[in-house]
Amino acid sequence: MSPSSFNKVAVFLPPRKVEVIEEKPASIFAPKSTKPTAPPPVEEGDHIYKTYPAFAAIIEPIANKFMPLKELIEKLRSLGLNVFPEPDSDSYVTVINKNHKLEWWAYNQMAIGSSCTAFSYSHWNAFVNDEMRIVVGCKEHLSDKSTVDEDMRCIVFNNELVGFTDVSESSQEFVVATTFTDYHAELFHLVREKFSPAAFVRVMDANPLFVETVNQFLMSIKPLTYA
């Protein structure tokens, strides 16, 4: 893979499920048969087409096509999907106020671990209501399967330290006294100590262009502020 490939991104959509058309038998004694209209899909399910049909219809023309981040932002905006806040956007909507330096550092750390880690929104991020603490769902993830329905354990970014907590999204309360089980100076060290050797190999092998592109993407959409 050429180095230039690592700075390109795409909006992923799973293939649509194949519709199976039942053929009517020529005779009442003939066996019924089914004939698929296309090859079977690679991904399981196509719930996004049923749950968000309008979004899928809009995004489908550019889905799964890799391009530079700047070009993708322009195309999404031209389609009416402007999820990229302007510098003064927080003046017009309700946001989760976070220290800007800490938020920037959290995006950088998430980018470093993105090759082996799945991150998710955490409702605890709003609950703690502390600009110097950022809570994110996190788990090792080395496959292409979705983690949407999984109950992720939370990590906290705090004063340029990061650590796993004893809290998950389904926990009944956020207990500050038992929040951290371990501290790490960077997510890199957390992956090395808490994740599998295969996950750490991915982090070590990640191309710097890939890491920087993920970092720029996160800073473009600012999910920790506008989640």
Side-chain angles (χ1 to χ4, degrees):
M1 186 177 290
S2 64
S4 61
S5 302
F6 292 103
N7 66 342
K8 295 181 180 180
V9 294
V11 177
F12 173 74
L13 277 183
R16 289 181 180 270
K17 269 190 176 180
V18 178
E19 294 185 7
V20 178
I21 302 175
E22 185 176 314
E23 294 183 341
K24 293 183 179 181
S27 166
I28 60 173
F29 301 105
K32 291 184 178 180
S33 63
T34 57
K35 181 180 179 181
T37 58
V42 177
E43 284 286 323
E44 298 179 1
D46 61 346
H47 65 277
I48 190 170
Y49 298 103
K50 297 176 182 178
T51 309
Y52 307 105
F55 170 78
I58 293 172
I59 208 68
E60 226 171 346
I62 67 168
N64 306 321
K65 298 178 181 178
F66 284 87
M67 60 191 78
L69 177 59
K70 185 177 180 180
E71 183 180 342
L72 177 64
I73 292 175
E74 292 174 352
K75 286 185 178 294
L76 289 173
R77 282 176 169 165
S78 69
L79 292 172
L81 296 173
N82 189 1
V83 294
F84 307 94
E86 299 294 340
D88 62 344
S89 294
D90 56 0
S91 301
Y92 302 95
V93 296
T94 302
V95 299
I96 302 172
N97 290 317
K98 297 297 178 183
N99 178 274
H100 292 303
K101 182 180 179 181
L102 177 60
E103 184 181 4
W104 173 87
W105 182 73
Y107 293 143
N108 180 261
Q109 296 303 302
M110 292 167 69
I112 290 172
S114 61
S115 59
C116 70
T117 311
F119 297 101
S120 73
Y121 162 82
S122 174
H123 75 280
W124 294 116
N125 195 37
F127 176 83
V128 296
N129 195 28
D130 185 345
E131 68 173 16
M132 294 308 297
R133 282 192 298 173
I134 293 176
V135 186
V136 179
C138 170
K139 69 164 292 183
E140 179 179 329
H141 188 62
L142 304 180
S143 71
D144 293 332
K145 293 184 178 180
S146 173
T147 61
V148 171
D149 299 325
E150 297 185 22
D151 188 25
M152 292 191 183
R153 192 176 171 190
C154 294
I155 59 172
V156 174
F157 295 95
N158 185 4
N159 295 325
E160 297 195 356
L161 291 172
V162 59
F164 265 119
T165 73
D166 296 323
V167 177
S168 68
E169 285 301 291
S170 62
S171 298
Q172 297 299 311
E173 58 181 343
F174 192 92
V175 184
V176 178
T178 60
T179 294
F180 281 104
T181 56
D182 203 356
Y183 288 90
H184 300 275
E186 294 181 342
L187 193 66
F188 173 88
H189 300 294
L190 184 148
V191 170
R192 182 175 62 181
E193 295 185 21
K194 300 293 185 180
F195 287 9
S196 69
F200 186 61
V201 168
R202 281 200 179 190
V203 172
M204 292 294 293
D205 291 345
N207 188 285
L209 275 176
F210 167 79
V211 175
E212 179 58 22
T213 301
V214 175
N215 186 38
Q216 291 298 322
F217 177 73
L218 290 171
M219 292 179 67
S220 296
I221 61 177
K222 301 191 71 176
L224 300 178
T225 295
Y226 294 93

